[in-house]
Amino acid sequence: MELRQLAVVVAVAEEGGFTAAAQRLRTVQSTVSTVVRALERDLGTPLFHRTTHRVILTAAGEAFVPAARAALEAAARARAAVAPVGGLVRLGMCPGLLADLHRVLVTLRDAHPGLGVEVRQVPVGEVRRAVVESTVDVGLTVAPDCVSPGSTPSEPVTTLLPGEELVLATAPGGSRSAPADLSGLSLVDFPPGWAIREAVDRAFPGRRVAQEVDDLAVAAGLVRAGLAACVLPASAAARFADLTVRRFARPKPWQLAAVHCAGVSPAVAALLAQLG
């Protein structure tokens, strides 16, 4: 199975026919048909129902096309990781999302000096719309419960990034284990619309928030003074080495995702390669 075969099948599925796919791929219809038939023989199952007026996916095709898209995007990211890329990519981020964004951007600049990045804040819940409306090229957010594979070129795709876990940050000293029930603690949290708030709301819906701030350093100061504890992603808590990081017996996931259009540009692929 070759990447070219995957690209042809995806083009037929997205264009709804062999002739339109051939036009998109700048080849002839007979070549597209030959490639698809060869892949179907290799797989041992048809991917398309052919009729006089239209071409539609079989059940096997419905399962195959999202995986083919993912493979093509992974290959694009692999190429972007080693091939210099120029242009501009617009990155939308939920507030409080990525504590080490500067490291990602420095690594990206070193790998692709000609690539510019614009970063802007996008509230939780508005990331997908920002991608659809093309106000950003990539949106970073807390991973939703359901990950959409994107069934059309215009529908955003959600790519999961490497996961970590939420931890409880407390004043220096004390236990390294976090209690399962946070109801007895005075907690500092972040405003609605922050990515951390979204994740912690899911993990601990019944907790009591005593303080609410919009700055990680301010939250850490309250924790350091013994005025509150704070649930944070492990990577964010690591920024404050003097605080005690307490882990939950049942890990609470901190899973980020990148939302982007199905057909990624080299600039977007380069950014995704650094994030992943």
Side-chain angles (χ1 to χ4, degrees):
M1 189 181 305
E2 300 176 356
L3 290 176
R4 176 172 172 268
Q5 292 175 307
L6 302 185
V8 169
V9 169
V10 169
V12 173
E14 292 178 349
E15 299 297 334
F18 290 86
T19 300
Q23 292 173 347
R24 168 171 152 181
L25 297 170
R26 298 182 180 180
T27 186
V28 295
Q29 185 268 342
S30 60
T31 297
V32 172
S33 297
T34 299
V35 169
V36 172
R37 283 197 300 269
L39 181 57
E40 288 176 326
R41 284 196 301 271
D42 183 43
L43 295 173
T45 185
L47 299 175
F48 297 98
H49 291 298
R50 284 88 159 167
T51 68
T52 304
H53 301 292
R54 60 184 304 196
V55 173
I56 59 175
L57 289 166
T58 63
E62 292 282 1
F64 183 85
V65 167
R69 282 201 192 98
L72 291 169
E73 289 165 7
R77 290 197 296 272
R79 285 192 295 269
V82 297
V85 175
L88 175 70
V89 60
R90 300 164 300 165
L91 173 63
M93 289 184 53
C94 300
L97 187 76
L98 203 59
D100 59 350
L101 174 64
H102 61 289
R103 293 189 179 90
V104 171
L105 295 183
V106 166
T107 304
L108 185 65
R109 180 194 63 192
D110 292 344
H112 307 286
L115 177 60
V117 181
E118 290 182 356
V119 181
R120 61 194 65 181
Q121 287 196 351
V122 180
V124 171
E126 297 184 18
V127 170
R128 184 169 289 270
R129 185 176 70 180
V131 173
V132 170
E133 295 178 351
S134 294
T135 56
V136 301
D137 301 306
V138 179
L140 295 186
T141 186
V142 180
D145 294 332
C146 296
V147 178
S148 168
S151 58
T152 68
S154 60
E155 182 181 347
V157 175
T158 302
T159 300
L160 295 179
L161 302 180
E164 52 177 292
E165 62 184 288
L166 296 172
V167 298
L168 183 68
T170 60
S175 172
R176 292 285 177 174
S177 298
D181 183 5
L182 302 184
S183 60
L185 298 178
S186 175
L187 296 172
V188 57
D189 212 323
F190 305 94
W194 273 55
I196 298 174
R197 177 65 176 264
E198 176 84 3
V200 179
D201 280 349
R202 292 180 189 174
F204 302 100
R207 74 196 187 288
R208 182 178 66 86
V209 178
Q211 314 278 351
E212 189 175 278
V213 299
D214 62 356
D215 188 285
L216 282 172
V218 173
L222 293 172
V223 172
R224 189 176 294 111
L227 297 173
C230 186
V231 180
L232 292 169
S235 57
R239 293 179 56 188
F240 310 103
D242 59 322
L243 301 182
T244 296
V245 173
R246 304 172 66 179
R247 299 188 179 276
F248 297 98
R250 293 186 176 180
K252 307 295 182 180
W254 170 251
Q255 179 67 68
L256 303 186
V259 182
H260 53 87
C261 291
V264 296
S265 67
V268 169
L271 177 59
L272 293 175
Q274 295 301 326
L275 291 169

